[in-house]
């Protein structure tokens, strides 16, 4: 059975083949299944409110007044966003005494205006500071792939990815400061989108890094992500049709993003590139030496550490014992950065963006594996040294895009039943609408039954 998309659900609702209440009840049943991951994927479930929202959307649709074609479809919201009347904890227990939000975050309000039903708040890495998705406070939702082996979900939007992968929601809203939408998508066979950061308002959201944070969706298809992104950005839905792979030219960086790939990722990426090239796309291998300079640029501390420390420093004086120690150490690293170090890094980033943009100016997009490895098992991350090395490798390719201030999308590239892997297309800032068109053509080719 093919999993429904937002477009197919909207068509079913429009034709009376299902109701919003039925969709919500199905999602709630999945969340409440004692054998499922609902208790770990969600920190708060809006059962009564979701059913009431569903009934309201069904009533509006019955009289031709549905606010959008997607009204009544249940989605999840990462526990980083304010929802009126709820406490935003960011996957932490340090904020348990925080007052409930007085109003929705602007991006949440835009989705509410379109009539989406908020099914619940999803689990996440505490304060969004890891690409692995582990949470010692609330538990870690397990990856659906080979679940008995307890593979990680990817983070930081861990519950967001699992909510869609396990059909507990039909789309999820997360954040992406270094891959936090794309990594869970790549690890669970979904599509994850990181927009140009400035397109979507970040007010009403607990920040990780004001320089790198972006708001993005995780869903089942490129078109699903395009729908959610257009609403989040308050822009018209891009035209996803009438583009041929033969009209596109992609750049494949030779180094850095291809280093240390495990065999599944390497094989899947090679096959994906071959399929896309056979579909007519021109793919040129190029050198982008600036990518390999990113670790050195961050040697005195990252933007995430500096900017998260600035937000947390007063709370650390009284609540540091409540933090996940692995997250705490990364935040506290920001205390060692001087103001000069931070300014130097901002200036180095500006040079990096200008140099890389110049190198890729003649291409429609960069292509690369989303993550260098398949999802590790929880037992592989027991020791801090392994945890930090794995986290750095998982984040490596995705962080390139955030540092570049670009936009990117991750598509599944593995064969059914094989370990999940992700294929990324990356574009310069403010080319999001074009990227969705390119990704639609690539998605069609990668999902085609035609041989490469």
């Amino acid at each position: 059975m093919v999993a429904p998309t937002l477009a197919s659900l909207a068509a079913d609702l429009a034709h009376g083949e299902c109701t919003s209440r039925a969709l919500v009840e199905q999602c709630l049943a999945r969340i409440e299944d004692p054998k499922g991951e609902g208790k770990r994927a969600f920190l708060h479930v809006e059962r009564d409110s979701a059913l009431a929202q569903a009934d309201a959307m069904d009533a509006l649709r019955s009289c031709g007044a549905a606010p959008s074609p997607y009204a009544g479809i249940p989605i999840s919201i990462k526990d980083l966003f304010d929802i009126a009347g709820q406490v935003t904890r960011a996957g932490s227990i340090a904020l348990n005494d925080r007052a409930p939000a007085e109003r929705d975050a602007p991006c949440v309000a835009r989705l509410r205006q379109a009539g989406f039903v908020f099914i619940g708040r999803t689990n996440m890495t505490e304060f969004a500071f890891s690409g692995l998705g582990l949470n010692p406070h609330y538990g870690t939702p397990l990856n659906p792939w080979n679940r008995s082996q307890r593979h990680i979900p990817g983070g930081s939007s861990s519950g967001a990815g699992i909510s869609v992968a396990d059909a507990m929601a039909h789309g999820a809203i997360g954040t992406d400061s270094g891959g936090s939408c794309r990594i869970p998508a790549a690890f669970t066979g979904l599509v994850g989108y990181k927009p140009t950061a400035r397109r979507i308002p970040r007010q009403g959201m607990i920040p990780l890094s004001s320089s790198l944070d972006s708001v993005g969706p995780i869903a089942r298809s490129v078109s699903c992500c395009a729908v959610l992104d257009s609403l989040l950005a308050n822009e018209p839905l891009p035209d996803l049709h009438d583009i041929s792979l033969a009209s596109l030219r992609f750049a494949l960086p030779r180094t850095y993003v291809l280093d240390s790939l495990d065999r599944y990722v390497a094989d899947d990426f090679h096959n994906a590139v071959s399929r896309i090239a056979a579909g007519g796309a021109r793919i040129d291998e190029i050198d982008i030496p600036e990518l390999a300079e990113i670790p050195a640029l961050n040697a005195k501390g990252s933007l995430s550490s500096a900017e998260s420390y600035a937000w947390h420093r007063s709370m650390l004086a009284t609540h540091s014992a409540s933090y996940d120690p692995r997250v705490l150490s990364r935040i506290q690293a920001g205390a060692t950065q001087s103001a000069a170090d931070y300014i130097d890094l901002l200036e180095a980033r500006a040079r990096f963006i200008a140099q890389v943009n110049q190198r890729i100016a003649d291409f429609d997009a960069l292509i690369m594996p989303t993550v260098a490895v398949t999802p590790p098992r929880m037992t592989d991350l027991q020791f801090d040294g392994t945890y930090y090395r794995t986290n750095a490798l998982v984040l490596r390719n995705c962080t390139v895009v955030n540092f570049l201030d670009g936009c990117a999308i991750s598509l599944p590239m593995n064969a059914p039943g094989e370990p999940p892997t992700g294929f990324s297309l990356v574009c310069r800032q403010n080319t999001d609408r074009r990227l969705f068109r390119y990704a639609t053509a690539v998605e069609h080719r990668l999902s085609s039954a035609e041989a490469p």
Side-chain angles (χ1 to χ4, degrees):
M1 182 178 178
V2 178
T5 63
L6 294 183
S8 70
L9 291 170
D12 288 346
L13 288 166
H15 297 144
E17 295 178 10
C18 73
T19 63
S20 175
R21 186 176 184 91
L23 294 178
V24 170
E25 287 177 342
Q26 291 163 9
C27 289
L28 288 171
R30 299 281 295 181
I31 293 170
E32 295 165 359
D33 181 353
K35 297 180 180 179
E37 291 297 305
K39 288 186 177 180
R40 284 188 285 260
F42 284 86
L43 301 186
H44 177 72
V45 179
E46 286 287 292
R47 185 177 224 287
D48 293 341
S49 174
L51 289 170
Q53 292 173 60
D55 289 342
M57 292 304 127
D58 284 335
L60 288 171
R61 181 168 277 106
S62 70
C63 58
S68 83
Y70 313 101
I73 297 176
I75 62 172
S76 66
I77 306 292
K78 186 177 183 178
D79 188 40
L80 209 63
F81 296 97
D82 286 347
I83 298 176
Q86 298 181 18
V87 176
T88 307
R89 293 183 173 86
S92 178
I93 60 174
L95 296 179
N96 281 349
D97 56 358
R98 202 169 191 238
E102 295 182 2
R103 61 184 64 85
D104 291 339
C107 61
V108 171
R110 289 175 178 181
L111 296 171
R112 191 189 296 279
Q113 186 177 20
F116 280 98
V117 172
F118 301 153
I119 201 85
R121 304 177 71 93
T122 51
N123 199 356
M124 55 180 286
T125 304
E126 184 181 46
F127 295 115
F129 216 159
S130 167
L132 303 178
L134 278 61
N135 188 308
H137 308 303
Y138 300 104
T140 301
L142 300 178
N143 197 306
W145 174 66
N146 206 5
R147 185 158 271 162
S148 64
Q149 296 298 307
R150 299 176 61 82
H151 292 267
I152 66 170
S156 64
S157 307
S158 55
I162 299 303
S163 73
V164 180
D166 279 10
M168 296 182 281
H170 292 291
I173 305 306
T175 60
D176 193 311
S177 308
S180 290
C181 282
R182 291 162 288 157
I183 295 167
F187 277 1
T188 58
L190 297 169
V191 178
Y193 191 67
K194 178 251 179 285
T196 302
R198 65 185 70 93
R199 288 178 58 247
I200 298 171
R202 294 174 292 178
Q203 295 87 357
M205 178 187 107
I206 293 177
L208 170 60
S209 167
S210 57
S211 294
L212 305 175
D213 291 345
S214 60
V215 179
I218 300 173
R220 297 189 181 111
S221 70
V222 172
S223 66
C224 292
C225 284
V227 165
L228 292 168
D229 175 80
S230 67
L231 293 167
L232 289 167
N234 195 27
E235 296 178 356
L237 183 66
D239 181 2
L240 302 180
H241 305 292
D242 300 326
I243 188 163
S244 167
L245 277 177
S247 68
L248 300 177
R249 184 186 181 197
F250 298 140
L252 171 56
R254 289 190 179 94
T255 56
Y256 192 68
V257 297
L258 300 182
D259 294 345
S260 304
L261 303 184
D262 77 20
R263 65 183 182 91
Y264 291 106
V265 175
D267 289 348
D268 286 348
F269 187 68
H270 174 77
N271 291 336
V273 170
S274 297
R275 292 179 70 90
I276 293 165
R282 176 178 172 182
I283 299 175
D284 295 339
E285 294 188 14
I286 67 169
D287 292 318
I288 308 180
E290 291 83 4
L291 302 186
E293 296 170 7
I294 292 176
L297 295 179
N298 287 285
K300 292 184 179 180
S302 67
L303 291 171
S304 294
S305 289
E307 293 170 352
S308 65
Y309 179 73
W311 193 89
H312 286 271
R313 64 179 184 263
S314 60
M315 196 163 65
L316 291 177
T318 54
H319 290 77
S320 62
S322 299
Y323 283 60
D324 174 356
R326 289 167 165 174
V327 170
L328 178 64
S329 67
R330 299 188 75 194
I331 294 173
Q332 288 179 323
T336 66
Q337 291 173 254
S338 69
D341 293 336
Y342 178 68
I343 292 170
D344 285 346
L345 183 54
L346 291 176
E347 293 176 347
R349 184 194 183 203
R351 291 192 298 272
F352 173 89
I353 292 170
Q355 290 165 355
V356 175
N357 279 347
Q358 185 174 5
R359 290 188 187 276
I360 65 177
D362 294 334
F363 297 93
D364 293 300
L366 292 175
I367 57 173
M368 65 181 70
T370 305
V371 186
V373 296
T374 56
R377 294 177 300 173
M378 298 273 288
T379 53
D380 298 332
L381 303 171
Q382 296 179 75
F383 302 107
D384 286 351
T386 306
Y387 173 93
Y388 290 120
R389 286 192 299 272
T390 304
N391 186 51
L393 184 57
V394 165
L395 287 165
R396 185 195 65 199
N397 286 10
C398 286
T399 56
V400 167
V401 186
N402 298 79
F403 204 68
L404 183 62
D405 191 28
C407 50
I409 193 163
S410 177
L411 313 176
M413 64 176 181
N414 56 289
E418 294 297 311
T421 58
F423 180 95
S424 278
L425 291 99
V426 178
C427 284
R428 298 181 298 279
Q429 57 268 55
N430 298 318
T431 58
D432 300 69
R433 295 171 66 80
R434 277 182 273 167
L435 176 54
F436 277 117
R437 298 190 72 207
Y438 309 155
T440 300
V442 170
E443 179 184 49
H444 177 74
R445 182 64 185 174
L446 294 183
S447 62
S448 170
E450 300 174 30

